[in-house]
Amino acid sequence: RDGGCIIPGCTCPPQWTEVHHVTPWQNGGPTNVSNGVLLCWYHHHNIDTSGWHIRMVLGMPEVKAPHWIDPTGTWRKPPQHRAHDPKYRRQDE
């Protein structure tokens, strides 16, 4: 689904990523696809201190860059997310 690390500009392919809990497991976040996103090793291990934020909206991840990258604080869908491509969407959507 994610097509690789979801942090914009990161080109890490899916086979080299780790699954990140959007709502942390220790805070009651479930271990399932709707709460998981792919991040490269670097972004996964630095997500809590890097200034990036991730949330899920209707089953799709959105990311907000640190203020020094995007001062507007805009939530954005990762561009490589395959769910943006109609050929990957379910017919009943």
Side-chain angles (χ1 to χ4, degrees), residues 1-7 10 12-22 35-47 54:
R1 174 196 73 184
D2 294 342
C5 181
I6 67 162
I7 299 298
C10 186
C12 185
Q15 63 270 28
W16 294 351
T17 60
E18 300 174 352
V19 179
H20 171 71
H21 284 81
V22 176
N35 187 45
V37 295
L38 297 181
L39 295 175
C40 68
W41 182 93
Y42 175 81
H43 287 116
H44 191 210
H45 291 270
N46 295 293
I47 197 71
I54 303 170

Side-chain angles (χ1 to χ4, degrees), residues 82-91:
R82 291 190 338 190
H84 292 291
D85 191 330
K87 70 182 175 185
Y88 292 105
R89 299 201 83 153
R90 293 188 349 217
Q91 296 302 315

Side-chain angles (χ1 to χ4, degrees), residues 55-75:
R55 69 180 181 184
M56 296 298 279
V57 177
L58 300 174
M60 293 199 33
E62 292 184 352
V63 295
K64 183 166 62 168
H67 71 278
W68 60 87
I69 294 174
D70 180 8
T72 68
T74 304
W75 286 98

